[in-house]
Each structure stands twice: as structure tokens, then as C-alpha cells.
Amino acid sequence: MDISDYKQRFDQRIKQKLSKSELEALKVEYLGRKGIIRQLFSTLAGLSSLDKKKVGQQINEFKFYIEQKLSELNSKLVEPTQEFFDPSLPKIKIKKGSLHPITYAVEEISSIFSKISFVRMSYNEVEWEFYSFSALNIPADHPARDDVETFFLDYPEDKKYGHLILSPHTSSGQVREMLRLKQPPVRMINIAKCYRPNWDTTHTPMFHQFEGLCIDKGINITHLKGTIDYFVKQYFGENRQIRLRPYDFRFTEPSFEIDISCAVCSGTGIYNEEKCRVCKSGWLELGGSGMVHPYVLRSGGIDPDIYSGWAFGFGIERVFLMKEGLQVDDLRVFYSGDLRFLSEF
Amino acid sequence: MNIKLSYNWIQDYFKTDLSAQDFADRLSLVGPSIERIEKFSDDFVFDIEITPNRVDMACVLGIAQEANAAFSSSEGKFFNPFAKFNYSKFKQGFSGLGQNFEISLLSDGATRYIAVAFSGVRVGPSPDFIAKRLTAVGIKTINNIVDISNYVMLELGQPNHIFDLNRIAKAELKMKRIEKPEKITLLDNRTVRLEKGDLVFIDGDKRLVDLCGIMGGSLSSVVDQTETILITVPVYDKLSIRRTSMRLGIRTDAAVLFEKGIDEERSEWAVKLLCDLLSKYAGGRPASEIWDFYPEPYKPIKIKSDYQRIVELIGVKISRDQIKTILERLGFAVEIDSDKFVITVPFYRKNDIATVQDIVEETARVYGYHKLPSRLSPFVLVKADEKIEKVFEYQSRVKHLLADLGFNEVMNYSMTDEQTIKKFREDVNNYLKITVPISKRLEYMRQYLFPSLFDNAVANQGFVDEFKLFELAKVYFKKPLVEELRLSILTSADYYYQQAVVRHIFESFNIYDYDFVQSQYSFLASRQADIIVKNKVIGFCGELKESLPDTKVFSVSEVNFEALVELAVKIKAVKPLPKYAVIKFDLNFELTDNLKFSDIKTTAFKHLKNLYDLEVVDVYKNKRLTIRFFFTSFDKNLTEEFVKKQMRKLVDLLGVSDKFNF
């Protein structure tokens, strides 16, 4: 018999549907120790060296062909199920962890500002009155410095820096950053915990703010507008608009309240033919900002006749809720440690 | 502060055909923010937010002044009451009437005080237009005298008070500060306790008749029979008013206006308006000269500014003429000499305009912030603090690592209470304390995080059956005054699980040189240890003494996170891969007080030749364990005899050779 006959026979055999054990038997029959391939090789002995080479090669090709076919068939075999099996059964539980929602917001905000070369910093939460107030043009008799507006700590007063307090805003980092860098340019994003004595459904005595600060030659209102616009479009979405409204803060001049267009009513103030319930006539308050007050620049050792800058401070809880469109009836849930709430994130 | 004003009333000073909605929307972008509009019969009521620096516009006139700048002259016409008014001429009209009262003031109590007596008034109902306007903005009408007083305050932003002159003993008013606590009964009949420093008036019989700037006293108030009145228009010291008003919680409109600091000039127009309205609607006539205390009369403030600087700070080249027009419509006087601007500030802006930045604000807001282009701030490289940057990076890494291991991140308040501090056997005197806490629960600054995590577990009992919590936050020390970033972990598993989590964090930070050494913290049960990295204690780890009915064991750890990050290595030096066969050797040990795992590990690495690695493969009852040692050489194949020799050396060094036979 010729090799091609053997091949034909083999092809015939594998045309039928073969079980796993039949396939196994076929393998032994052809490739086994006493199998057909071995037998074919043994016939080589009587051939001339030229033929040996030629036939040997044919046998090898045939062997390779068999191996390939068998392995193909083998991989196509479906193993019958031995025992009951429900692939949808969740037998093992791997506990899913969670990060605090504020962590997600902080990470996203930091990354948005790092793309435009703002450096993230962190400053003390237990702070001197000087950095939180005096250096920021907030005089000693200002209402914000009352103990009903700011937490004071029982600690000896410092002659230069005043009382020890819990910083009520991230703006205390402004002058600290100017002093760290000694001279402009300044590009800072400061994210920290802040504290104020309010505790109700819309206020927690501890909250988070992020503060942007940019100081350089030739910085003006258009840069503040452009940078906040960039942040808003990155964080909230391309289609959101901002507007500046006049406001008053001691440490900025001019000062602005920043509003962003409402996503629910697309800034129209009307939703489903009714007044939008989420916003005030199409706009939502984002937070305060302004051009750094000359007094503050001087506190940081920077000449306001040469340099100018802008700053803003926004609440993180607020932007997080605004972004996600979450309806949290009681802000206190953020710091309640309620795992039913926290594990949703 | 917010104030309610009627649109019809504003029309007295700014006549316009604009709809209430258009007026509100456009004014809000330029000046005061009109937050709500409500219809009130044929009128509209605005709810307006007034920023603390702009108390001058907390009145009908003030809003009209802003409207004059916000809208063009074709859109509305502004009536300026001060333009032609001559106060000294007005005052002269009263000369020859004499003085039928005595007033003495404290020099630090008021910066201006105008008084005039009126006789022959008849107390009765107010005219319709006054009653209607007051009702529209939510003020109850009482009688013509009281209503006129309120009406003038709302129209001009100038609080004033009207006494019944016959009810002031000896017609004498003397300002004083309270020395010893005293009680006063106010107009609304409530009695409050005054304290040292509160500013009041007493009469000729030394009776308290007025709580300055906050509310009049009932003893001298206008009553139905009143015929002779004393009209007073004061400007009080703002701090005194604020202090007393806040302490008593009496936040009248007058108090709120005074404490923000009103100017001393508008009081002149206020006196005129009061006199006009009282003679017209209460039938009175002047009974005295005008008494005016004004020790430091107003001198106009002038600001010198450079045109180029103004447009540079705005970011848009607004023309000189346009700037001039804007400022003039706001009431400023402007002189221009090429690039030099000399700007005179109107009296009602004397408390908030002082610098070129203020002029920039006035110009830019009226020009329109929405017209300014948006530009990104120019890119520059600012050097970050590398140490802080590394902490932020690892903070994020450890949080994600723990969440991936099934932990829940919590954030708790940085403050704690005395009970918690004592429960964990600490001395409250070493803790930073809030002088006026809002709650006893938030009185001291935390020095440990784990007690809050335990509180979280208590609060979540029944909701979860397995606790895996962590918090990364600062703690605050008093002596010395420092903040420290901590990582704390709590699990409802035993010490060994906690320790494994800590080791896992260390090793993912490429920190291998760590040890756990028995410690003695009184708030932990006996299974506890100091966590040592590179010979420094950076935290602790152990089981809590506290437990819960459903959770018998809680283990916690707490480490100084910044110290940990400092030791973290981003990519460790790569250990060369073995070239020759690795020989494993398992050995069983029984741990004792004198033979700790860390002793075996340290000794082995220090003294054994060709030791490549070791690992614990089995532990029985936390005491017996099998350690697998891996040996290899980078030059040749090692023999089994060589490895045995090394191992014999180890047990010798550990002093336990009698227990082994190999």
C-alpha cells in the first residue's frame, strides 16, 4: 500500500463522528508504538538512500498530518457533563471594597489641574489666624473671625500669628504657597479639610475645599474665566457654561460668584414645561473666586504693582453632588460612616 | 444679607418700562443678585442678596443707583435725591425753634447723630401707599409714625428711631455702655439681659430707654396718645452693634445695616424725608432746631489710577471714554489726563472703594463679565514639593489597594469627645480642644483614628457581618504642635489577618525590612505589636479589648503614613534570577518567648551562606511552623551537604540544635 492509500483510509475513518475513547484508539493505531507510522518507517530499511530520504519525508509529513487532524478533532470534542452544574450560581463571595466619594472627586480634580501644570499642595488644617485671616485682608473685627463662624482652639496666643484655629477655608494656603515659592509664577491647587461651626442637613462642621491660585505677570480676569471654564468642561461636561456674578470677598478684588449652567434644564430654567427644581432659573452656584487682593499679594511678599493673580475656592462635596446629579437629602451622610451609603461607591 | 424691595417703589428713583424679570436678570449680572421675584397685586417683590461690602445698596435708592449703571439712559431715568439738595439750607429752616431736649453721646459710640423734635402729631393709620409697600415687602404696619420710620429705612437704607419725647424723663438722653448686667424691656415687650459694653440710652431718671441700633425700649416708645416725638437718625459704632445683636440673637434690619457700616451722609436726606412724611401724614410740625453731632465730616476720597493698569487687569481694552461713562453712571466723578485717571468716590461708596482693583471691578462688572473672553492661564513649570507629591501618589495607591482587597474607606470628623479619649485611656489635657464646640461629640482634635473606626463598627452593627474599614486622615498633637497623616485599618478578624494586611501594604510599597515586636498599649488586648520599619517604630497593630455581641474580635492597626511613604521604593533593585539549581529545605520550629519568627528570619539572612529566600509554608496553632529555605549559588551547583551544614549552623545560632537531628 502506498502512503496516499493510508492517508485516504485515515480520512475515511475520521469522517465519522468519533467519541473521545475512539479518538484515543485511533491515535494508538496510527501513532502508537506498534502503530502504522512505526510500521511505515520500518519499511524504509530496504530502500536506497535516495528513496529513503524521499519516502521518509513523506512518512513524516503524513505523521504530522495525522497529529494535526487528531488534535483538531480532540479540541472539538465536547465533554459530557459529569455532575450538576449551574454556571450562574454565585458560590463564592469576594467582598467588594469601596472608596469614599470624596476620594474619587479629589483624584479627578487633581488630575484635571495637573494637565494644565498646576501643582497640588497640602497645608495645615490646624492653622494660625494670621494665615486664615490677617494675611488675607480679613481684619480682627471681621464677623468671620467670631467664634460662631470659626473654631478656635484652646492654645496660647502667638504674638505674631494670633490664635490657633481650625482653618475655615483652603485660602490659608494662598500666602503659605507664595512664601514657599518666594516669587511667582504660582500655579497651585490646594485640597484640604476645612471646618466651620455649622451642623445641619446642608452643612457639616468638616468639609473639603479645593483652592486654585495663579500668580504671574499679566494675569487678568480672562485667565480666571478661561481656567474655570476649562475645569467645568472637563469635570462636568463639554456642554456646560459658566457665568461670573459680582460678589464680595475680602481677599479678592474684584470678586465673583461662579455659576454653571444646569444640566437638568440645559440652562433654560424650564424642565417638562415647569420651573426647573434643581437650579435657579438655569444656573447653579459653584463657588467663589476673584482676582487676588493686593493686600494678600503683599502678605506673600509679592509686589502687586508688578504681579497679579486669580484664586478660587470650591466645595468638593458640592461639586461632587452637582456632577453626579445625586440627591443627597442630608449632607451629614458623608461623614456618618454609614456603610450602606459608602459601599455604593 | 437679603432684602425684599418692591419694583414699584424702585420706580420712584429709577423710572423704566423694563419688565420686572428683565430688570432682575440684567441687574443680577452686573450688581446685586435678585434671587426671587414674587407678584404682589400690581407690584413685584424682589428678594435681593446684598454682599457685606455693599450695604449702601440695601435699600430702594441703592438698587436704583445700581440700575442707573446697569441700564442705558434710554432704558430708564434715575432720580438723584442728593443732586440739588442743600442740607445746610434745609437745616436753617429750623433755626429759631430752640432746643427742648438734651442729648449726650460717647465719642466711640456714634459717628453721627441727628435729632429733631416734632409736636402735634396724631397717631393713626398710615396712608395706603406706605401700608401697601411695607406689606409687600413683609413688614407689618403698626401706625403712621412707626411705619414712616420703617419706610424711610427701606427707602434710604438709613435706620432711625422715633421716641415719644414726653416719655423721656427730663427730656434727657444719655448714651452709655452697660457696666453691670441689667435688664431692658424692648418695643416688642420682650425683656433681655444686657451685659458689659452694650450701648444704650438712659433718660433723666437713669432708666434704660433704648438699646442702640437694635431696638427701642418700651418705656419711651410711641403710643396711641403720643403727641410730641423726637426723631433720631444715628450712625452707631458697627462693632458694638454686632456684638450685642449677635449675643442676644436679635437681628433686626437696623442692627444688620448698622453692623455692616453705613455712611454718615445719607442721614441728611433721611431727616428731610422723615420730616416731610411726618408733617404730611402725621400732622406734626417741627418743634426744635436740628441737632447734629458729626465730629468728622466726610471728605471725598480720590483715587489716582493708570489707564493701562486698569485695562491690563481686566484683560480687554475698554476705551477711556467707556470707563469714564461707566464710572459716572455709578456716581463717581472722573477726570482724565491722557493715561492718568483721577476718580472721586461718591460718599455712599466710601467704605468699599480704595484701590485701582476696586475701580477695575466697577468697570468690568458694568461692562459685562460675560463679554470678557476665556483664556487658559499661561503654562509654566512650577516646582512641586517632591515629598508631598510622593505622599499624594502613595495615598492614592494605598486607598485603591485596600478597596481592591474589599475594604471600605470611611471619613470621620477630625474631632472626638472626652468619653472616647478616656475610653482609650488617654489624658484629655494633652489634646487640642475647641474653645466653643458646637457639640460635646466634637470637642477635641483626634490623636488616633482607630477609635472612630470602632465607632463606625458600632454604628453599623447588624448591617454588615464582616468589617473591613480604613481611614487615611490627619491627627493633631498639642505638644509639640504637629499634624501627622495616619493610616488606620480595622477588621473583624484577628491579629494575624491585620498583620497580613499591613505586610501586604509594606511589600507593595517595596518595604521588606519590617518587624512586629510585642508592645504594651493599654487600649489593646495581649496580641499587639509595635510595627518597626528600618529600626523605627512607625505604628502599632493589635486586637482591641472592646468587642460587640456579633463580633468577638476586632483588630486594628495605625501607622504614620508619611513615615511609611518616605521608606517606600517605587521600583526595587532587581534580584538576579538563580542560574543554578535552587535547593529547598523545610524545617519545623516551635516558637517560644525566646524564639520568635523574626529571630529566625534575621539570623538566617545574616549568617547563612547562599540563602536566597525563605517562606512560611505551614503554621499550626500559631506556634509550630514549617519554614522553607531556598539556597542557590550564582557560581556553581550547591550540594545537599552544604545546605545541611548551613541549616545546622542556623539551629546552633538559635540555640535549638538539641531539638533537631539532620
Side-chain angles (χ1 to χ4, degrees), chain B residues 347-372:
Chain B
F347 70 81
Y348 47 88
R349 303 299 302 278
K350 75 176 185 86
N351 294 329
D352 87 297
I353 303 283
T355 63
V356 62
Q357 281 76 11
D358 296 317
I359 298 300
V360 164
E361 171 160 42
E362 295 307 298
T363 309
R365 72 182 173 99
V366 175
Y367 173 79
Y369 290 143
H370 60 284
K371 287 190 207 152
L372 301 181

Side-chain angles (χ1 to χ4, degrees), chain A residues 119-282:
Chain A
V119 167
R120 184 174 165 198
M121 281 304 297
S122 165
Y123 287 107
N124 288 0
E125 295 167 19
V126 169
E127 185 54 285
W128 296 105
E129 267 185 296
F130 175 78
Y131 291 105
S132 287
F133 298 125
S134 315
L136 298 178
N137 192 33
I138 303 173
D141 58 16
H142 193 274
R145 295 177 70 159
D146 279 358
D147 57 16
V148 292
E149 302 281 341
T150 295
F151 285 117
F152 281 78
L153 295 170
D154 189 5
Y155 195 82
E157 187 179 353
D158 184 275
K159 270 196 189 124
K160 186 173 170 200
Y161 297 109
H163 292 101
L164 202 60
I165 57 166
L166 295 181
S167 190
H169 49 211
T170 41
S171 305
S172 37
Q174 288 190 13
V175 168
R176 284 193 178 271
E177 179 72 352
M178 293 180 213
L179 296 175
R180 177 181 81 90
L181 292 169
K182 295 192 181 69
Q183 60 179 15
V186 178
R187 299 284 189 281
M188 172 190 75
I189 194 87
N190 176 25
I191 305 180
K193 285 178 178 157
C194 306
Y195 304 85
R196 285 181 205 172
N198 298 314
W199 209 0
D200 55 42
T201 55
T202 54
H203 297 91
T204 49
M206 177 184 86
F207 55 97
H208 292 77
Q209 275 190 345
F210 63 114
E211 182 98 2
L213 178 70
C214 168
I215 302 171
D216 218 331
K217 279 182 187 159
I219 296 294
N220 58 48
I221 305 174
T222 66
H223 298 121
L224 167 71
K225 213 178 151 183
T227 309
I228 294 180
D229 192 53
Y230 157 79
F231 167 73
V232 164
K233 288 190 161 56
Q234 289 271 311
Y235 189 77
F236 294 102
E238 268 308 312
N239 51 353
R240 304 297 281 274
Q241 309 298 324
I242 63 160
R243 72 172 185 190
L244 274 58
R245 274 186 298 118
Y247 209 74
D248 171 47
F249 303 106
R250 292 288 308 181
F251 41 101
T252 47
E253 187 70 50
S255 303
F256 319 102
E257 191 77 68
I258 308 282
D259 292 344
I260 64 169
S261 59
C262 175
V264 173
C265 64
S266 313
T268 59
I270 307 291
Y271 184 67
N272 282 344
E273 296 178 5
E274 275 179 29
K275 218 172 184 183
C276 179
R277 280 176 208 183
V278 179
C279 64
K280 277 186 198 165
S281 41

Side-chain angles (χ1 to χ4, degrees), chain A residues 293-326:
Chain A
H293 197 286
Y295 185 96
V296 180
L297 290 173
R298 262 180 244 119
S299 300
I302 292 172
D303 185 346
D305 291 331
I306 301 171
Y307 296 101
S308 52
W310 56 253
F312 69 80
F314 299 156
I316 294 188
E317 290 79 357
R318 187 176 177 77
V319 298
F320 177 77
L321 291 175
M322 275 164 77
K323 171 173 179 159
E324 306 301 336
L326 294 177

Side-chain angles (χ1 to χ4, degrees), chain B residues 100-302:
Chain B
N100 49 4
F101 55 85
E102 280 295 324
I103 298 177
S104 69
L105 298 169
L106 296 174
S107 59
D108 66 348
T111 47
R112 190 163 197 184
Y113 201 95
I114 305 177
V116 60
F118 252 56
S119 64
V121 298
R122 275 189 313 278
V123 175
S126 289
D128 280 354
F129 80 97
I130 289 183
K132 197 177 159 196
R133 284 176 173 182
L134 291 180
T135 310
V137 300
I139 290 182
K140 221 173 93 186
T141 67
I142 312 258
N143 58 46
N144 49 359
I145 313 279
V146 175
D147 291 354
I148 286 170
S149 168
N150 283 330
Y151 187 85
V152 169
M153 177 174 70
L154 283 166
E155 183 155 314
L156 302 177
Q158 172 65 64
N160 56 83
H161 184 60
I162 298 176
F163 294 93
D164 182 328
L165 190 54
N166 293 332
R167 298 182 73 204
I168 299 174
K170 300 182 182 124
E172 274 177 39
L173 278 179
K174 188 178 175 197
M175 186 190 252
K176 72 158 203 171
R177 285 191 190 274
I178 295 288
E179 277 157 22
K180 287 193 299 267
E182 256 180 280
K183 282 187 175 158
I184 183 172
T185 302
L186 300 172
L187 275 179
D188 61 359
N189 285 323
R190 74 180 128 165
T191 301
V192 295
R193 187 184 137 103
L194 301 181
E195 281 175 26
K196 196 171 176 213
D198 290 343
L199 215 50
V200 293
F201 274 110
I202 53 170
D203 68 5
D205 285 345
K206 296 192 163 50
R207 303 180 308 160
L208 290 179
V209 292
D210 185 30
L211 178 55
C212 292
I214 297 169
M215 203 184 280
S218 70
L219 286 176
S220 61
S221 64
V222 170
V223 290
D224 290 349
Q225 303 75 27
T226 296
E227 284 178 353
T228 310
I229 54 173
L230 184 68
I231 303 165
T232 64
V233 182
V235 179
Y236 291 116
D237 169 50
K238 58 180 186 176
L239 287 181
S240 305
I241 304 303
R242 175 174 166 81
R243 206 180 302 125
T244 305
S245 160
M246 290 298 280
R247 198 194 64 244
L248 294 173
I250 305 179
R251 309 290 292 144
T252 53
D253 291 343
V256 173
L257 288 170
F258 279 130
E259 74 181 25
K260 302 278 188 299
I262 61 171
D263 64 75
E264 290 83 7
E265 290 283 301
R266 67 182 63 221
S267 44
E268 298 174 0
W269 186 255
V271 172
K272 176 179 183 318
L273 195 60
L274 282 164
C275 290
D276 287 356
L277 292 173
L278 286 165
S279 39
K280 215 163 165 186
Y281 300 110
R285 57 191 179 277
S288 77
E289 291 181 354
I290 290 185
W291 188 86
D292 192 350
F293 167 84
Y294 195 14
E296 281 175 56
Y298 164 74
K299 286 188 207 81
I301 300 166
K302 283 183 196 291

Side-chain angles (χ1 to χ4, degrees), chain A residues 95-100 102-103 107 115-117 119-126 128 141 143 146-148 151-155 164 166 180-181 185 187 193 195 197 199 204-206 208 214 219-223 225-227 230 243-248 253-256 280 294 304-305 307-308 310 334-335 337-340 342-343, chain B residues 28-31 33 35 49 51-53 239 242 246 309 312-315 357-358 360-361 364-365 369-370 372-380 382-385 388 392 396 399-400 403 406-415 432-436 438-439 441-442 445 456 460 463-464 466-470 473-474 476 478 481 483:
Chain A
K95 189 177 176 294
K96 185 185 164 292
S98 63
L99 289 178
H100 196 281
I102 294 300
T103 294
E107 289 185 353
K115 285 185 213 160
I116 54 167
S117 78
V119 167
R120 184 174 165 198
M121 281 304 297
S122 165
Y123 287 107
N124 288 0
E125 295 167 19
V126 169
W128 296 105
D141 58 16
D146 279 358
D147 57 16
V148 292
F151 285 117
F152 281 78
L153 295 170
D154 189 5
Y155 195 82
L164 202 60
L166 295 181
R180 177 181 81 90
L181 292 169
R187 299 284 189 281
K193 285 178 178 157
Y195 304 85
W199 209 0
T204 49
M206 177 184 86
H208 292 77
C214 168
I219 296 294
N220 58 48
I221 305 174
T222 66
H223 298 121
K225 213 178 151 183
T227 309
Y230 157 79
R243 72 172 185 190
L244 274 58
R245 274 186 298 118
Y247 209 74
D248 171 47
E253 187 70 50
S255 303
F256 319 102
K280 277 186 198 165
D305 291 331
Y307 296 101
S308 52
W310 56 253
F334 276 110
Y335 306 112
D338 189 330
L339 293 172
R340 293 169 300 175
L342 294 174
S343 19
Chain B
S28 299
L29 287 179
V30 168
S33 195
E35 295 185 330
E49 187 186 13
T51 53
N53 61 332
L239 287 181
R242 175 174 166 81
M246 290 298 280
R309 188 65 178 151
E312 184 183 295
L313 289 173
I314 295 174
Q357 281 76 11
D358 296 317
V360 164
E361 171 160 42
R365 72 182 173 99
Y369 290 143
H370 60 284
L372 301 181
S374 286
R375 299 187 181 111
L376 270 183
S377 306
F379 282 75
V380 289
V382 177
K383 214 170 145 31
D385 181 315
I388 292 177
F392 286 139
S396 183
K399 282 182 176 188
H400 285 274
F407 281 82
N408 302 109
E409 184 189 10
V410 287
M411 288 192 188
N412 289 298
Y413 292 116
S414 306
M415 307 83 137
L432 281 169
K433 182 176 183 289
I434 292 173
T435 50
V436 186
I438 47 167
S439 159
R441 284 159 59 201
L442 305 179
M445 301 309 290
N456 294 142
N460 281 287
F463 301 140
V464 274
E466 182 192 8
F467 289 103
K468 290 170 100 175
L469 306 180
F470 79 94
K474 283 178 172 178
Y476 315 84
K478 192 172 168 184
L481 190 64
E483 294 179 10

